[in-house]
PDB file of all heavy atoms in Angstrom:
ATOM      1  N   PHE B  92     -26.133-150.532  19.696  1.00  0.00           N
ATOM      2  CA  PHE B  92     -24.718-150.362  20.035  1.00  0.00           C
ATOM      3  C   PHE B  92     -24.402-148.939  20.491  1.00  0.00           C
ATOM      4  O   PHE B  92     -23.287-148.450  20.300  1.00  0.00           O
ATOM      5  CB  PHE B  92     -23.824-150.759  18.856  1.00  0.00           C
ATOM      6  CG  PHE B  92     -23.927-152.226  18.528  1.00  0.00           C
ATOM      7  CD1 PHE B  92     -24.755-152.673  17.514  1.00  0.00           C
ATOM      8  CD2 PHE B  92     -23.212-153.160  19.259  1.00  0.00           C
ATOM      9  CE1 PHE B  92     -24.863-154.035  17.221  1.00  0.00           C
ATOM     10  CE2 PHE B  92     -23.309-154.516  18.970  1.00  0.00           C
ATOM     11  CZ  PHE B  92     -24.132-154.950  17.942  1.00  0.00           C
ATOM     12  N   ALA B  93     -25.394-148.274  21.078  1.00  0.00           N
ATOM     13  CA  ALA B  93     -25.173-146.917  21.597  1.00  0.00           C
ATOM     14  C   ALA B  93     -24.630-147.039  23.012  1.00  0.00           C
ATOM     15  O   ALA B  93     -25.366-146.953  23.982  1.00  0.00           O
ATOM     16  CB  ALA B  93     -26.483-146.133  21.571  1.00  0.00           C
ATOM     17  N   GLY B  94     -23.325-147.285  23.121  1.00  0.00           N
ATOM     18  CA  GLY B  94     -22.700-147.438  24.429  1.00  0.00           C
ATOM     19  C   GLY B  94     -22.755-148.871  24.922  1.00  0.00           C
ATOM     20  O   GLY B  94     -23.362-149.750  24.298  1.00  0.00           O
ATOM     21  N   ARG B  95     -22.076-149.103  26.044  1.00  0.00           N
ATOM     22  CA  ARG B  95     -22.079-150.447  26.624  1.00  0.00           C
ATOM     23  C   ARG B  95     -21.903-150.343  28.135  1.00  0.00           C
ATOM     24  O   ARG B  95     -21.403-149.346  28.647  1.00  0.00           O
ATOM     25  CB  ARG B  95     -20.965-151.305  26.019  1.00  0.00           C
ATOM     26  CG  ARG B  95     -19.569-150.924  26.474  1.00  0.00           C
ATOM     27  CD  ARG B  95     -18.496-151.819  25.843  1.00  0.00           C
ATOM     28  NE  ARG B  95     -17.187-151.494  26.391  1.00  0.00           N
ATOM     29  CZ  ARG B  95     -16.043-151.866  25.841  1.00  0.00           C
ATOM     30  NH1 ARG B  95     -16.045-152.566  24.724  1.00  0.00           N
ATOM     31  NH2 ARG B  95     -14.891-151.556  26.397  1.00  0.00           N
ATOM     32  N   ASP B  96     -22.325-151.368  28.830  1.00  0.00           N
ATOM     33  CA  ASP B  96     -22.096-151.466  30.267  1.00  0.00           C
ATOM     34  C   ASP B  96     -21.105-152.583  30.542  1.00  0.00           C
ATOM     35  O   ASP B  96     -21.158-153.635  29.897  1.00  0.00           O
ATOM     36  CB  ASP B  96     -23.400-151.816  31.002  1.00  0.00           C
ATOM     37  CG  ASP B  96     -24.426-150.704  30.908  1.00  0.00           C
ATOM     38  OD1 ASP B  96     -24.011-149.530  30.944  1.00  0.00           O
ATOM     39  OD2 ASP B  96     -25.625-151.010  30.800  1.00  0.00           O
ATOM     40  N   THR B  97     -20.220-152.333  31.500  1.00  0.00           N
ATOM     41  CA  THR B  97     -19.381-153.409  31.996  1.00  0.00           C
ATOM     42  C   THR B  97     -20.169-154.128  33.084  1.00  0.00           C
ATOM     43  O   THR B  97     -20.585-153.515  34.068  1.00  0.00           O
ATOM     44  CB  THR B  97     -18.058-152.849  32.546  1.00  0.00           C
ATOM     45  OG1 THR B  97     -17.285-152.374  31.446  1.00  0.00           O
ATOM     46  CG2 THR B  97     -17.275-153.912  33.281  1.00  0.00           C
ATOM     47  N   LEU B  98     -20.426-155.401  32.893  1.00  0.00           N
ATOM     48  CA  LEU B  98     -21.221-156.153  33.863  1.00  0.00           C
ATOM     49  C   LEU B  98     -20.344-156.731  34.965  1.00  0.00           C
ATOM     50  O   LEU B  98     -20.751-156.842  36.104  1.00  0.00           O
ATOM     51  CB  LEU B  98     -21.977-157.296  33.168  1.00  0.00           C
ATOM     52  CG  LEU B  98     -22.932-156.883  32.048  1.00  0.00           C
ATOM     53  CD1 LEU B  98     -23.638-158.111  31.473  1.00  0.00           C
ATOM     54  CD2 LEU B  98     -23.958-155.885  32.559  1.00  0.00           C
ATOM     55  N   GLU B  99     -19.122-157.112  34.602  1.00  0.00           N
ATOM     56  CA  GLU B  99     -18.243-157.717  35.600  1.00  0.00           C
ATOM     57  C   GLU B  99     -16.795-157.558  35.152  1.00  0.00           C
ATOM     58  O   GLU B  99     -16.481-157.720  33.974  1.00  0.00           O
ATOM     59  CB  GLU B  99     -18.578-159.217  35.750  1.00  0.00           C
ATOM     60  CG  GLU B  99     -17.848-159.866  36.917  1.00  0.00           C
ATOM     61  CD  GLU B  99     -18.162-161.364  37.059  1.00  0.00           C
ATOM     62  OE1 GLU B  99     -19.088-161.845  36.376  1.00  0.00           O
ATOM     63  OE2 GLU B  99     -17.459-162.028  37.840  1.00  0.00           O
ATOM     64  N   ILE B 100     -15.939-157.231  36.124  1.00  0.00           N
ATOM     65  CA  ILE B 100     -14.500-157.215  35.864  1.00  0.00           C
ATOM     66  C   ILE B 100     -13.818-158.006  36.969  1.00  0.00           C
ATOM     67  O   ILE B 100     -14.108-157.799  38.145  1.00  0.00           O
ATOM     68  CB  ILE B 100     -13.937-155.770  35.858  1.00  0.00           C
ATOM     69  CG1 ILE B 100     -14.205-155.083  34.514  1.00  0.00           C
ATOM     70  CG2 ILE B 100     -12.435-155.772  36.120  1.00  0.00           C
ATOM     71  CD1 ILE B 100     -13.461-153.788  34.333  1.00  0.00           C
ATOM     72  N   GLN B 101     -12.966-158.926  36.595  1.00  0.00           N
ATOM     73  CA  GLN B 101     -12.060-159.555  37.571  1.00  0.00           C
ATOM     74  C   GLN B 101     -10.655-159.252  37.072  1.00  0.00           C
ATOM     75  O   GLN B 101     -10.201-159.839  36.092  1.00  0.00           O
ATOM     76  CB  GLN B 101     -12.276-161.074  37.613  1.00  0.00           C
ATOM     77  CG  GLN B 101     -13.679-161.493  38.042  1.00  0.00           C
ATOM     78  CD  GLN B 101     -13.903-162.993  37.855  1.00  0.00           C
ATOM     79  OE1 GLN B 101     -12.954-163.766  37.672  1.00  0.00           O
ATOM     80  NE2 GLN B 101     -15.157-163.413  37.909  1.00  0.00           N
ATOM     81  N   LEU B 102      -9.979-158.320  37.746  1.00  0.00           N
ATOM     82  CA  LEU B 102      -8.651-157.915  37.265  1.00  0.00           C
ATOM     83  C   LEU B 102      -7.658-159.072  37.333  1.00  0.00           C
ATOM     84  O   LEU B 102      -6.797-159.225  36.471  1.00  0.00           O
ATOM     85  CB  LEU B 102      -8.127-156.733  38.078  1.00  0.00           C
ATOM     86  CG  LEU B 102      -8.786-155.387  37.771  1.00  0.00           C
ATOM     87  CD1 LEU B 102      -8.275-154.317  38.723  1.00  0.00           C
ATOM     88  CD2 LEU B 102      -8.541-154.972  36.324  1.00  0.00           C
ATOM     89  N   ASN B 103      -7.748-159.851  38.427  1.00  0.00           N
ATOM     90  CA  ASN B 103      -6.868-161.022  38.600  1.00  0.00           C
ATOM     91  C   ASN B 103      -5.398-160.646  38.397  1.00  0.00           C
ATOM     92  O   ASN B 103      -4.942-159.668  38.980  1.00  0.00           O
ATOM     93  CB  ASN B 103      -7.303-162.164  37.665  1.00  0.00           C
ATOM     94  CG  ASN B 103      -8.726-162.637  37.971  1.00  0.00           C
ATOM     95  OD1 ASN B 103      -9.145-162.577  39.122  1.00  0.00           O
ATOM     96  ND2 ASN B 103      -9.457-163.095  36.976  1.00  0.00           N
ATOM     97  N   VAL B 104      -4.674-161.352  37.547  1.00  0.00           N
ATOM     98  CA  VAL B 104      -3.235-161.083  37.375  1.00  0.00           C
ATOM     99  C   VAL B 104      -2.963-159.673  36.842  1.00  0.00           C
ATOM    100  O   VAL B 104      -1.860-159.135  37.010  1.00  0.00           O
ATOM    101  CB  VAL B 104      -2.562-162.099  36.420  1.00  0.00           C
ATOM    102  CG1 VAL B 104      -2.597-163.498  37.019  1.00  0.00           C
ATOM    103  CG2 VAL B 104      -3.206-162.073  35.037  1.00  0.00           C
ATOM    104  N   PHE B 105      -3.961-159.088  36.222  1.00  0.00           N
ATOM    105  CA  PHE B 105      -3.776-157.772  35.621  1.00  0.00           C
ATOM    106  C   PHE B 105      -3.629-156.684  36.690  1.00  0.00           C
ATOM    107  O   PHE B 105      -3.063-155.628  36.439  1.00  0.00           O
ATOM    108  CB  PHE B 105      -4.974-157.465  34.713  1.00  0.00           C
ATOM    109  CG  PHE B 105      -4.722-156.383  33.703  1.00  0.00           C
ATOM    110  CD1 PHE B 105      -3.691-156.511  32.775  1.00  0.00           C
ATOM    111  CD2 PHE B 105      -5.502-155.243  33.669  1.00  0.00           C
ATOM    112  CE1 PHE B 105      -3.447-155.507  31.833  1.00  0.00           C
ATOM    113  CE2 PHE B 105      -5.276-154.245  32.729  1.00  0.00           C
ATOM    114  CZ  PHE B 105      -4.246-154.382  31.814  1.00  0.00           C
ATOM    115  N   GLU B 106      -4.115-156.996  37.902  1.00  0.00           N
ATOM    116  CA  GLU B 106      -4.104-156.001  38.972  1.00  0.00           C
ATOM    117  C   GLU B 106      -2.685-155.561  39.310  1.00  0.00           C
ATOM    118  O   GLU B 106      -2.439-154.399  39.591  1.00  0.00           O
ATOM    119  CB  GLU B 106      -4.784-156.588  40.217  1.00  0.00           C
ATOM    120  CG  GLU B 106      -5.023-155.547  41.293  1.00  0.00           C
ATOM    121  CD  GLU B 106      -6.010-156.036  42.355  1.00  0.00           C
ATOM    122  OE1 GLU B 106      -6.362-157.242  42.341  1.00  0.00           O
ATOM    123  OE2 GLU B 106      -6.420-155.209  43.188  1.00  0.00           O
ATOM    124  N   LYS B 107      -1.766-156.520  39.310  1.00  0.00           N
ATOM    125  CA  LYS B 107      -0.394-156.169  39.683  1.00  0.00           C
ATOM    126  C   LYS B 107       0.532-156.122  38.474  1.00  0.00           C
ATOM    127  O   LYS B 107       1.756-156.159  38.612  1.00  0.00           O
ATOM    128  CB  LYS B 107       0.123-157.183  40.725  1.00  0.00           C
ATOM    129  CG  LYS B 107      -0.474-156.949  42.108  1.00  0.00           C
ATOM    130  CD  LYS B 107      -0.001-157.993  43.096  1.00  0.00           C
ATOM    131  CE  LYS B 107      -1.096-159.020  43.369  1.00  0.00           C
ATOM    132  NZ  LYS B 107      -0.666-160.196  44.125  1.00  0.00           N
ATOM    133  N   PHE B 108      -0.050-156.048  37.292  1.00  0.00           N
ATOM    134  CA  PHE B 108       0.730-156.057  36.055  1.00  0.00           C
ATOM    135  C   PHE B 108       1.637-154.834  35.980  1.00  0.00           C
ATOM    136  O   PHE B 108       1.206-153.694  36.117  1.00  0.00           O
ATOM    137  CB  PHE B 108      -0.224-156.056  34.863  1.00  0.00           C
ATOM    138  CG  PHE B 108       0.456-156.014  33.513  1.00  0.00           C
ATOM    139  CD1 PHE B 108       1.465-156.906  33.184  1.00  0.00           C
ATOM    140  CD2 PHE B 108       0.055-155.080  32.557  1.00  0.00           C
ATOM    141  CE1 PHE B 108       2.062-156.876  31.922  1.00  0.00           C
ATOM    142  CE2 PHE B 108       0.653-155.043  31.297  1.00  0.00           C
ATOM    143  CZ  PHE B 108       1.658-155.936  30.983  1.00  0.00           C
ATOM    144  N   SER B 109       2.923-155.105  35.821  1.00  0.00           N
ATOM    145  CA  SER B 109       3.860-154.017  35.543  1.00  0.00           C
ATOM    146  C   SER B 109       4.659-154.444  34.325  1.00  0.00           C
ATOM    147  O   SER B 109       5.467-155.365  34.403  1.00  0.00           O
ATOM    148  CB  SER B 109       4.784-153.797  36.739  1.00  0.00           C
ATOM    149  OG  SER B 109       5.711-152.784  36.411  1.00  0.00           O
ATOM    150  N   PRO B 110       4.374-153.824  33.195  1.00  0.00           N
ATOM    151  CA  PRO B 110       4.994-154.327  31.965  1.00  0.00           C
ATOM    152  C   PRO B 110       6.504-154.174  31.985  1.00  0.00           C
ATOM    153  O   PRO B 110       7.025-153.057  32.101  1.00  0.00           O
ATOM    154  CB  PRO B 110       4.358-153.470  30.862  1.00  0.00           C
ATOM    155  CG  PRO B 110       3.748-152.303  31.548  1.00  0.00           C
ATOM    156  CD  PRO B 110       3.514-152.663  32.969  1.00  0.00           C
ATOM    157  N   THR B 111       7.177-155.288  31.914  1.00  0.00           N
ATOM    158  CA  THR B 111       8.634-155.282  31.868  1.00  0.00           C
ATOM    159  C   THR B 111       9.064-155.792  30.496  1.00  0.00           C
ATOM    160  O   THR B 111       8.629-156.869  30.064  1.00  0.00           O
ATOM    161  CB  THR B 111       9.206-156.202  32.959  1.00  0.00           C
ATOM    162  OG1 THR B 111       8.721-155.737  34.216  1.00  0.00           O
ATOM    163  CG2 THR B 111      10.728-156.177  32.949  1.00  0.00           C
ATOM    164  N   LEU B 112       9.882-155.009  29.836  1.00  0.00           N
ATOM    165  CA  LEU B 112      10.302-155.405  28.502  1.00  0.00           C
ATOM    166  C   LEU B 112      11.493-156.340  28.583  1.00  0.00           C
ATOM    167  O   LEU B 112      12.491-156.022  29.254  1.00  0.00           O
ATOM    168  CB  LEU B 112      10.707-154.173  27.682  1.00  0.00           C
ATOM    169  CG  LEU B 112       9.652-153.091  27.503  1.00  0.00           C
ATOM    170  CD1 LEU B 112      10.164-152.036  26.528  1.00  0.00           C
ATOM    171  CD2 LEU B 112       8.341-153.665  27.028  1.00  0.00           C
ATOM    172  N   PRO B 113      11.434-157.482  27.919  1.00  0.00           N
ATOM    173  CA  PRO B 113      12.644-158.290  27.779  1.00  0.00           C
ATOM    174  C   PRO B 113      13.725-157.411  27.133  1.00  0.00           C
ATOM    175  O   PRO B 113      13.401-156.561  26.293  1.00  0.00           O
ATOM    176  CB  PRO B 113      12.205-159.408  26.830  1.00  0.00           C
ATOM    177  CG  PRO B 113      10.709-159.463  26.928  1.00  0.00           C
ATOM    178  CD  PRO B 113      10.283-158.064  27.224  1.00  0.00           C
ATOM    179  N   PRO B 114      14.992-157.592  27.541  1.00  0.00           N
ATOM    180  CA  PRO B 114      16.063-156.749  26.988  1.00  0.00           C
ATOM    181  C   PRO B 114      16.029-156.656  25.458  1.00  0.00           C
ATOM    182  O   PRO B 114      16.237-155.571  24.897  1.00  0.00           O
ATOM    183  CB  PRO B 114      17.332-157.430  27.478  1.00  0.00           C
ATOM    184  CG  PRO B 114      16.918-158.098  28.756  1.00  0.00           C
ATOM    185  CD  PRO B 114      15.494-158.518  28.563  1.00  0.00           C
ATOM    186  N   ALA B 115      15.714-157.756  24.808  1.00  0.00           N
ATOM    187  CA  ALA B 115      15.718-157.763  23.339  1.00  0.00           C
ATOM    188  C   ALA B 115      14.637-156.872  22.735  1.00  0.00           C
ATOM    189  O   ALA B 115      14.685-156.552  21.552  1.00  0.00           O
ATOM    190  CB  ALA B 115      15.538-159.194  22.833  1.00  0.00           C
ATOM    191  N   TYR B 116      13.648-156.462  23.554  1.00  0.00           N
ATOM    192  CA  TYR B 116      12.544-155.644  23.035  1.00  0.00           C
ATOM    193  C   TYR B 116      12.839-154.143  23.131  1.00  0.00           C
ATOM    194  O   TYR B 116      12.088-153.332  22.606  1.00  0.00           O
ATOM    195  CB  TYR B 116      11.269-155.887  23.855  1.00  0.00           C
ATOM    196  CG  TYR B 116      10.517-157.169  23.574  1.00  0.00           C
ATOM    197  CD1 TYR B 116      11.077-158.211  22.843  1.00  0.00           C
ATOM    198  CD2 TYR B 116       9.213-157.328  24.042  1.00  0.00           C
ATOM    199  CE1 TYR B 116      10.362-159.383  22.617  1.00  0.00           C
ATOM    200  CE2 TYR B 116       8.494-158.484  23.814  1.00  0.00           C
ATOM    201  CZ  TYR B 116       9.073-159.513  23.110  1.00  0.00           C
ATOM    202  OH  TYR B 116       8.367-160.668  22.880  1.00  0.00           O
ATOM    203  N   ARG B 117      13.926-153.797  23.876  1.00  0.00           N
ATOM    204  CA  ARG B 117      14.058-152.378  24.262  1.00  0.00           C
ATOM    205  C   ARG B 117      14.414-151.454  23.109  1.00  0.00           C
ATOM    206  O   ARG B 117      14.265-150.242  23.218  1.00  0.00           O
ATOM    207  CB  ARG B 117      15.070-152.262  25.408  1.00  0.00           C
ATOM    208  CG  ARG B 117      14.496-152.989  26.612  1.00  0.00           C
ATOM    209  CD  ARG B 117      15.192-152.777  27.912  1.00  0.00           C
ATOM    210  NE  ARG B 117      14.459-153.572  28.908  1.00  0.00           N
ATOM    211  CZ  ARG B 117      14.867-153.832  30.129  1.00  0.00           C
ATOM    212  NH1 ARG B 117      16.030-153.346  30.554  1.00  0.00           N
ATOM    213  NH2 ARG B 117      14.139-154.552  30.943  1.00  0.00           N
ATOM    214  N   ASP B 118      14.896-152.037  22.038  1.00  0.00           N
ATOM    215  CA  ASP B 118      15.177-151.176  20.881  1.00  0.00           C
ATOM    216  C   ASP B 118      14.178-151.406  19.748  1.00  0.00           C
ATOM    217  O   ASP B 118      14.477-151.129  18.584  1.00  0.00           O
ATOM    218  CB  ASP B 118      16.618-151.353  20.396  1.00  0.00           C
ATOM    219  CG  ASP B 118      16.892-152.766  19.929  1.00  0.00           C
ATOM    220  OD1 ASP B 118      16.000-153.628  20.099  1.00  0.00           O
ATOM    221  OD2 ASP B 118      17.993-153.017  19.403  1.00  0.00           O
ATOM    222  N   THR B 119      12.967-151.870  20.093  1.00  0.00           N
ATOM    223  CA  THR B 119      11.927-152.030  19.052  1.00  0.00           C
ATOM    224  C   THR B 119      11.620-150.655  18.451  1.00  0.00           C
ATOM    225  O   THR B 119      11.368-149.695  19.171  1.00  0.00           O
ATOM    226  CB  THR B 119      10.635-152.629  19.652  1.00  0.00           C
ATOM    227  OG1 THR B 119      10.960-153.782  20.419  1.00  0.00           O
ATOM    228  CG2 THR B 119       9.664-153.001  18.538  1.00  0.00           C
ATOM    229  N   PRO B 120      11.624-150.544  17.124  1.00  0.00           N
ATOM    230  CA  PRO B 120      11.469-149.218  16.510  1.00  0.00           C
ATOM    231  C   PRO B 120      10.030-148.705  16.432  1.00  0.00           C
ATOM    232  O   PRO B 120       9.818-147.505  16.291  1.00  0.00           O
ATOM    233  CB  PRO B 120      12.045-149.414  15.106  1.00  0.00           C
ATOM    234  CG  PRO B 120      11.906-150.878  14.829  1.00  0.00           C
ATOM    235  CD  PRO B 120      12.007-151.577  16.145  1.00  0.00           C
ATOM    236  N   PHE B 121       9.043-149.621  16.524  1.00  0.00           N
ATOM    237  CA  PHE B 121       7.633-149.194  16.436  1.00  0.00           C
ATOM    238  C   PHE B 121       6.871-149.804  17.602  1.00  0.00           C
ATOM    239  O   PHE B 121       6.770-151.035  17.703  1.00  0.00           O
ATOM    240  CB  PHE B 121       7.024-149.605  15.086  1.00  0.00           C
ATOM    241  CG  PHE B 121       7.591-148.812  13.947  1.00  0.00           C
ATOM    242  CD1 PHE B 121       8.755-149.231  13.301  1.00  0.00           C
ATOM    243  CD2 PHE B 121       6.988-147.622  13.545  1.00  0.00           C
ATOM    244  CE1 PHE B 121       9.295-148.473  12.260  1.00  0.00           C
ATOM    245  CE2 PHE B 121       7.523-146.866  12.511  1.00  0.00           C
ATOM    246  CZ  PHE B 121       8.685-147.289  11.871  1.00  0.00           C
ATOM    247  N   VAL B 122       6.348-148.941  18.461  1.00  0.00           N
ATOM    248  CA  VAL B 122       5.762-149.391  19.724  1.00  0.00           C
ATOM    249  C   VAL B 122       4.335-148.872  19.859  1.00  0.00           C
ATOM    250  O   VAL B 122       4.072-147.689  19.659  1.00  0.00           O
ATOM    251  CB  VAL B 122       6.599-148.867  20.912  1.00  0.00           C
ATOM    252  CG1 VAL B 122       5.971-149.283  22.243  1.00  0.00           C
ATOM    253  CG2 VAL B 122       8.047-149.366  20.804  1.00  0.00           C
ATOM    254  N   MET B 123       3.428-149.778  20.196  1.00  0.00           N
ATOM    255  CA  MET B 123       2.063-149.371  20.517  1.00  0.00           C
ATOM    256  C   MET B 123       1.783-149.614  21.985  1.00  0.00           C
ATOM    257  O   MET B 123       1.891-150.735  22.476  1.00  0.00           O
ATOM    258  CB  MET B 123       1.039-150.152  19.690  1.00  0.00           C
ATOM    259  CG  MET B 123      -0.378-149.918  20.223  1.00  0.00           C
ATOM    260  SD  MET B 123      -1.662-150.760  19.297  1.00  0.00           S
ATOM    261  CE  MET B 123      -2.996-150.712  20.529  1.00  0.00           C
ATOM    262  N   LEU B 124       1.401-148.535  22.677  1.00  0.00           N
ATOM    263  CA  LEU B 124       0.996-148.642  24.069  1.00  0.00           C
ATOM    264  C   LEU B 124      -0.526-148.707  24.107  1.00  0.00           C
ATOM    265  O   LEU B 124      -1.211-147.700  23.909  1.00  0.00           O
ATOM    266  CB  LEU B 124       1.490-147.424  24.854  1.00  0.00           C
ATOM    267  CG  LEU B 124       2.997-147.131  24.752  1.00  0.00           C
ATOM    268  CD1 LEU B 124       3.332-145.803  25.444  1.00  0.00           C
ATOM    269  CD2 LEU B 124       3.799-148.277  25.367  1.00  0.00           C
ATOM    270  N   GLY B 125      -1.058-149.895  24.321  1.00  0.00           N
ATOM    271  CA  GLY B 125      -2.510-150.046  24.433  1.00  0.00           C
ATOM    272  C   GLY B 125      -3.034-149.255  25.619  1.00  0.00           C
ATOM    273  O   GLY B 125      -2.261-148.715  26.428  1.00  0.00           O
ATOM    274  N   ALA B 126      -4.361-149.210  25.758  1.00  0.00           N
ATOM    275  CA  ALA B 126      -4.989-148.306  26.715  1.00  0.00           C
ATOM    276  C   ALA B 126      -4.913-148.791  28.163  1.00  0.00           C
ATOM    277  O   ALA B 126      -5.921-148.832  28.865  1.00  0.00           O
ATOM    278  CB  ALA B 126      -6.434-148.072  26.299  1.00  0.00           C
ATOM    279  N   ILE B 127      -3.710-149.134  28.621  1.00  0.00           N
ATOM    280  CA  ILE B 127      -3.529-149.424  30.045  1.00  0.00           C
ATOM    281  C   ILE B 127      -3.306-148.109  30.782  1.00  0.00           C
ATOM    282  O   ILE B 127      -3.266-147.051  30.171  1.00  0.00           O
ATOM    283  CB  ILE B 127      -2.343-150.394  30.286  1.00  0.00           C
ATOM    284  CG1 ILE B 127      -1.063-149.856  29.613  1.00  0.00           C
ATOM    285  CG2 ILE B 127      -2.686-151.786  29.745  1.00  0.00           C
ATOM    286  CD1 ILE B 127       0.180-150.700  29.861  1.00  0.00           C
ATOM    287  N   GLN B 128      -3.172-148.168  32.112  1.00  0.00           N
ATOM    288  CA  GLN B 128      -2.971-146.935  32.892  1.00  0.00           C
ATOM    289  C   GLN B 128      -1.825-146.101  32.339  1.00  0.00           C
ATOM    290  O   GLN B 128      -0.740-146.628  32.087  1.00  0.00           O
ATOM    291  CB  GLN B 128      -2.618-147.290  34.339  1.00  0.00           C
ATOM    292  CG  GLN B 128      -3.811-147.613  35.187  1.00  0.00           C
ATOM    293  CD  GLN B 128      -3.352-148.145  36.525  1.00  0.00           C
ATOM    294  OE1 GLN B 128      -3.103-149.347  36.633  1.00  0.00           O
ATOM    295  NE2 GLN B 128      -3.214-147.273  37.499  1.00  0.00           N
ATOM    296  N   PRO B 129      -2.010-144.793  32.209  1.00  0.00           N
ATOM    297  CA  PRO B 129      -0.940-143.936  31.686  1.00  0.00           C
ATOM    298  C   PRO B 129       0.372-144.073  32.456  1.00  0.00           C
ATOM    299  O   PRO B 129       1.446-143.995  31.858  1.00  0.00           O
ATOM    300  CB  PRO B 129      -1.532-142.535  31.822  1.00  0.00           C
ATOM    301  CG  PRO B 129      -3.009-142.749  31.704  1.00  0.00           C
ATOM    302  CD  PRO B 129      -3.283-144.067  32.372  1.00  0.00           C
ATOM    303  N   ALA B 130       0.312-144.331  33.768  1.00  0.00           N
ATOM    304  CA  ALA B 130       1.559-144.503  34.532  1.00  0.00           C
ATOM    305  C   ALA B 130       2.339-145.712  34.001  1.00  0.00           C
ATOM    306  O   ALA B 130       3.575-145.682  33.920  1.00  0.00           O
ATOM    307  CB  ALA B 130       1.252-144.680  36.023  1.00  0.00           C
TER     308      ALA B 130
END
Side-chain angles (χ1 to χ4, degrees):
Chain B
F92 295 98
R95 72 180 185 196
D96 294 323
T97 290
L98 301 181
E99 189 181 350
I100 279 191
Q101 299 171 15
L102 286 175
N103 299 329
V104 295
F105 199 59
E106 190 165 9
K107 285 177 256 170
F108 178 51
S109 177
T111 302
L112 302 187
Y116 283 14
R117 296 191 180 168
D118 62 353
T119 310
F121 290 87
V122 178
M123 169 179 161
L124 306 173
I127 53 177
Q128 278 172 274

